[in-house]
């Protein structure tokens, strides 16, 4: 991320580092991830330690052109042209450097923290204040111990206002962020349950958050939430708001919903003022009140504050990946555009391997704090470093600086309308398209034109949550233990290349599929990880070899078939995996067959055994632990005999998702992560909040009907209301995967925050809900399952099945949309 320049010798002095300077370099970019590097010649790589040890990726960063590193140790690196700055803790060094950088600028800074609403309030304040100030802020939700330093590093001499959010998860974290942000104005947003598990009690959490404001000139907060903390507020001055207490500076005494807006009346400075908020949901209303109070506290008139708040636009902090026309993939980030979020979005574009061609549609960038020639030179360099194949620039500034860009295929248009007129001529086909635009360009029109039109029922997949789940299980295994991710059955209903791209980018070791055609699809989508095929068919061995897939051999017949195939084609040492049946009794060689198997493998030059594995039948169940121990013993006996025969070591793996949690001694060389990757694991305790479901299934209301009590509903006249009421017909049925077993009140869906039951039989494409007493209308959103209100496990309980069946039953005709922050 761009900033002012520092000599590497100056950086060494600032962070009080040891080590030798081999060559002088100028630093203006900070890196913490070897996969996300641009402008390497002027970059400084911090080898941070966490779930991944950054020191293991120094060589990888060096290969990209980085020559400056902050490390805990250095002599073992044989990289002669590199400077190694040696410190006790690279994260502390990065925080020290960025705190120094912050101290050089005399701009006004707003610091924001709270449990919920930080990012929305920050982005809305940017919308409200950008007309008056040159603003620097966190990109997306970069509010952590790493994100805050990277955000503050953006400050330059043209910035007049900084708006930085800070997030914490436990004690002794906020002081470090306060030292970097140094806010003069503080904002405390909603205090809720988020990260409660990191604190002894709510008081400890609030006191930790208040550390951000200990040197503030003014603190803006909800009077109702800090009633018991008045003595703990250190800010020189406060501005309070309340929906209950008239002693607050801003007392909201009247609230009225008007369609999709919310009309507020309040007392302020002994007079009545008003504000119209263009949202009606509770979270948005509270966040908007925070912004209203902030504008008043900053000296804006009530009339001006109302005028600007009425024009607030929704904030989307997520990249949205969806299917596009002409077999394209579309990444929608069409609501904001700045240099930092462009880099984040381009990194996500780079993760996509399903199409060889990568395309960027970009609008002019506003409020960058840089001169236009410097800004668009940096944009052009960034695009070049990310290897974009096709570039579409929209806006007069991009047209003026067209000469900076050197993309193989590039087009420029003065505005969005001009581009849409030429959409057919741009010939989007078989490519991954990133749409990145400032709000005023209305790039949502481009997104609508390029997105594949689909069924209104949508399965939303949160890729950040998937990554969080992956890291949760990685934290449970010892260093060096490999991870095989199960992506069979369309990744348990969650997608193919979309999930596999994320897993490949985050360096899992193996993927596993059920059938050869699933592996072929992954290879065609650009996935180059090793892929194990659990149930290979002899009729498709040609495809297996062509796409370098690795078969599981589980029987003598299959072994004979594959060896015969290899013999006919002069194939030798092909990697295969042996499955041992230790008690599951599904597939695999049984214990009494191991001796004969070893005889067949001895001096067999056609195959090389890549791994030996088995499957635990009941790893999650305490009552079957003795049987699990028996399986472990049988497995150890088998793989020891096999390795002795082979004369070389193989990868051993036994643990499935629940086994990872409950059977650490059986992790061996690799674990197989299945349903847990998607957020479901009965072996995980309720307090393990790091594991979350990744999917939300939602649909919408097609029609609302008033029904008389006793009238029958749906096929077979099986449903009825006991008294007069209303039903909503929603766009999901058993063809979408919402099984008939959910009919007649057994299943429930969330409508307007209320769980309502089904009525009558589920039909192929629709079903009916009892919405009596609710204010609902056509088009309203309906949630079938989500991580918060009704988890997949609850749906499974409703029809006495398992979560696997719920997730894998979601039909392919249901549109998948993938989100990434």
């Amino acid at each position: 991320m761009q900033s002012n320049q520092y000599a590497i010798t100056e950086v060494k002095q600032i962070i009080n580092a040891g080590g030798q300077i081999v060559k002088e370099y100028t630093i203006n970019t900070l890196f913490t991830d070897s996969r996300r590097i641009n402008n390497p010649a002027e970059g400084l790589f911090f080898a941070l330690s966490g779930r991944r040890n950054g020191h293991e990726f120094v060589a990888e960063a060096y290969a990209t052109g980085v020559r400056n590193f902050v490390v805990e140790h250095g002599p073992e690196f044989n990289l002669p042209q590199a400077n190694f700055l040696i410190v006790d803790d690279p994260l502390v060094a990065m925080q020290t450097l960025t705190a120094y950088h912050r101290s050089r600028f005399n701009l006004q800074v707003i610091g924001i923290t709270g449990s919920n609403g930080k990012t929305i309030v920050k982005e809305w304040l940017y919308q409200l204040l950008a007309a008056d100030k040159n603003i620097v802020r966190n990109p997306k939700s970069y509010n952590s111990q790493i994100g805050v330093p990277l955000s503050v590093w953006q400050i330059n001499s043209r910035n007049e206002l900084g708006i930085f959010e800070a997030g914490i998860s436990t004690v002794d974290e906020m002081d470090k962020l306060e030292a970097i942000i140094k806010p003069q104005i503080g904002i405390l947003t909603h205090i809720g349950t988020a990260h409660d598990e990191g604190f002894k009690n709510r008081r400890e959490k609030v006191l930790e958050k208040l550390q951000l404001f200990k040197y503030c000139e003014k603190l803006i907060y909800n009077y109702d939430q800090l009633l018991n903390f008045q003595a703990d507020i250190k800010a020189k001055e406060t501005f309070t708001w309340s929906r209950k207490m008239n002693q607050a500076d801003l007392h909201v005494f009247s609230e009225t919903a008007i369609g999709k807006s919310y009309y507020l009346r309040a007392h302020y400075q002994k007079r009545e003022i008003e504000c119209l908020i263009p949202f009606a949901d509770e979270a948005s209303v509270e966040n908007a009140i925070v912004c209203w109070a902030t504008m008043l506290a900053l000296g804006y008139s009530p009339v001006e504050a109302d005028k600007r708040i009425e024009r607030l636009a929704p904030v989307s902090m997520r990249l949205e990946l969806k299917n596009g026309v002409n077999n394209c993939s579309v990444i929608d980030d069409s609501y904001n555009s700045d240099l930092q979020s462009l880099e984040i979005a381009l990194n996500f574009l780079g993760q996509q391997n399903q199409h060889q061609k990568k395309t960027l549609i970009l609008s002019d960038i506003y409020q960058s704090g840089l001169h236009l020639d410097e800004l668009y030179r940096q944009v052009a360099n960034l695009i070049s470093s990310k290897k974009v194949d096709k570039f579409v620039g929209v806006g007069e500034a991009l047209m003026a600086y067209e000469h900076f860009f050197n993309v193989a295929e590039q087009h420029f248009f003065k505005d969005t309308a001009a581009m849409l007129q030429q959409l057919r001529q741009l010939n989007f086909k078989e490519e991954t398209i990133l749409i990145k635009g400032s709000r005023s360009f209305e790039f949502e029109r481009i997104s609508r034109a390029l997105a594949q039109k689909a069924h209104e029922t949508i399965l939303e997949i949160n890729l950040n949550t998937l990554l969080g789940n992956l890291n949760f299980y990685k934290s449970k295994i010892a260093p060096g233990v490999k991870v095989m991710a199960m992506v069979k059955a369309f990744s348990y209903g969650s997608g193919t290349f979309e999930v596999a791209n994320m897993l490949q980018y985050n360096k899992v070791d193996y993927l596993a599929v059920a059938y050869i055609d699933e592996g072929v699809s992954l290879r065609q989508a650009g996935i180059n990880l090793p892929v194990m095929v659990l149930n290979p068919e002899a009729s498709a061995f040609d495809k297996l070899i062509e796409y370098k897939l690795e078969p599981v051999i589980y029987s003598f017949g299959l072994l004979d078939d594959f060896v015969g195939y290899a013999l006919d084609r002069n194939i030798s040492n092909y990697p295969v995996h042996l499955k041992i049946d230790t008690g599951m009794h599904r597939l695999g060689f049984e214990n009494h067959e191991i001796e004969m198997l070893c005889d067949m493998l001895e001096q067999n030059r056609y195959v090389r055994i890549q791994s030996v594995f088995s499957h635990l039948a009941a790893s999650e169940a305490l009552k079957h632990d003795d049987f699990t121990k028996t399986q472990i013993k049988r497995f150890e006996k088998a793989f020891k005999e096999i390795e002795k025969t082979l004369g070389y070591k193989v990868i051993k793996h036994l643990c499935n998702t629940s086994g990872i949690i409950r059977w650490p001694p059986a992790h061996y060389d690799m674990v197989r992560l299945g349903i847990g990757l998607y957020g479901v694991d009965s072996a995980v305790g309720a307090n393990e909040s790091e594991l979350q479901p990744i999917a939300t299934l939602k649909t919408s209301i097609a029609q609302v009907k008033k029904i008389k009590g006793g009238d029958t509903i749906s096929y077979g006249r099986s449903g009825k209301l006991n008294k007069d009421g209303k039903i909503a017909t929603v766009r999901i049925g058993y063809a979408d995967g919402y099984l008939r077993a959910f009919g007649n009140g057994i299943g429930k869906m969330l409508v307007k925050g209320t769980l309502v039951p089904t009525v009558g039989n589920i039909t192929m494409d629709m079903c009916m809900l009892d919405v009596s007493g609710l204010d609902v209308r056509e088009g309203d959103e309906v949630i079938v399952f989500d991580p918060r209100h009704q988890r997949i496990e609850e749906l499974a309980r409703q029809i006495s099945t398992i979560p696997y069946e719920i997730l894998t039953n979601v039909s392919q005709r249901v549109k998948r949309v993938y989100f990434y922050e």
Side-chain angles (χ1 to χ4, degrees), residues 1-2 30-32 46 94 98 139 142 145-155 180 340:
M1 295 182 181
Q2 296 294 330
L30 307 185
F31 303 124
T32 62
F46 289 83
M94 184 170 73
T98 52
Y142 271 39
Q145 298 290 313
I146 299 171
V148 167
L150 293 175
S151 301
V152 169
W153 183 251
Q154 302 172 72
I155 297 174
I180 301 169
Q340 291 72 39

Side-chain angles (χ1 to χ4, degrees), residues 494-680:
S494 299
T496 52
F497 61 79
E498 301 91 348
V499 171
N501 276 328
M502 177 64 72
L503 296 172
Q504 178 168 278
Y505 185 74
N506 287 283
K507 300 185 183 300
V508 302
D509 301 283
Y510 256 93
L511 299 178
V513 297
Y515 297 104
I516 290 172
D517 57 352
E518 293 178 316
V520 170
S521 295
L522 292 178
R523 289 286 186 253
Q524 290 174 338
I527 302 302
N528 53 34
L529 285 173
V531 177
M532 184 177 83
V533 181
L534 292 162
N535 193 10
E537 309 96 326
S539 60
F541 281 165
D542 284 341
K543 289 292 184 185
L544 183 131
I545 302 299
E546 178 184 354
Y547 288 96
K548 297 181 172 60
L549 307 173
E550 300 176 9
V552 168
I553 303 298
Y554 53 79
S555 69
F556 291 115
L558 187 58
L559 180 58
D560 284 341
D561 287 342
F562 191 78
V563 169
Y565 178 89
L567 175 65
D568 290 344
R569 288 156 183 81
N570 198 28
I571 295 170
S572 61
N573 287 316
Y574 196 85
V576 303
H577 303 259
L578 296 179
K579 184 165 189 181
I580 309 302
D581 183 359
T582 57
M584 180 80 167
H585 295 325
R586 184 171 59 183
L587 294 173
F589 295 97
E590 295 189 52
N591 269 23
H592 68 270
E593 297 176 314
I594 300 301
E595 185 177 352
M596 183 184 298
L597 174 63
C598 289
D599 290 342
M600 294 184 68
L601 293 175
E602 194 168 16
Q603 297 181 346
N604 188 320
R605 66 181 181 85
Y606 300 103
V607 297
R608 178 174 178 85
I609 308 306
Q610 196 73 5
S611 82
V612 175
F613 74 104
S614 187
H615 196 87
L616 297 175
S619 59
E620 75 285 355
L622 181 66
K623 66 180 180 180
H624 295 306
D625 279 359
D626 286 343
F627 184 75
T628 298
K629 291 174 183 176
T630 298
Q631 284 195 271
I632 292 171
K633 290 178 181 177
R634 289 171 179 169
F635 178 62
E636 290 189 349
K637 182 176 183 295
F639 76 66
K640 287 176 181 176
E641 289 184 41
I642 292 169
E643 283 190 330
K644 183 178 179 181
T645 297
L646 294 173
Y648 57 82
K649 294 291 185 182
V650 300
I651 299 171
K652 282 86 67 180
H653 49 112
L654 178 65
C655 282
N656 54 3
T657 289
S658 296
I660 297 172
I661 299 297
R662 297 199 66 239
W663 296 96
H667 287 174
Y668 299 110
D669 304 309
M670 184 161 68
V671 295
R672 298 190 305 276
L673 181 54
I675 192 71
L677 187 62
Y678 309 97
V680 179

Side-chain angles (χ1 to χ4, degrees), residues 449-511:
L450 293 178
Q452 194 177 75
K453 305 302 180 288
H455 189 11
E456 281 195 38
T457 299
I458 295 172
L459 185 68
E460 294 183 349
I461 309 296
N462 189 321
L463 295 176
N464 294 91
T465 303
L466 182 139
L467 176 56
N469 293 340
L470 173 63
N471 287 333
F472 169 77
Y473 285 100
K474 281 185 174 180
S475 73
K476 303 297 181 183
I477 60 179
V481 175
K482 299 178 185 295
V483 175
M484 174 181 282
M486 312 301 288
V487 293
K488 61 181 182 175
F490 197 58
S491 295
Y492 293 67
S494 299
T496 52
F497 61 79
E498 301 91 348
V499 171
N501 276 328
M502 177 64 72
L503 296 172
Q504 178 168 278
Y505 185 74
N506 287 283
K507 300 185 183 300
V508 302
D509 301 283
Y510 256 93
L511 299 178

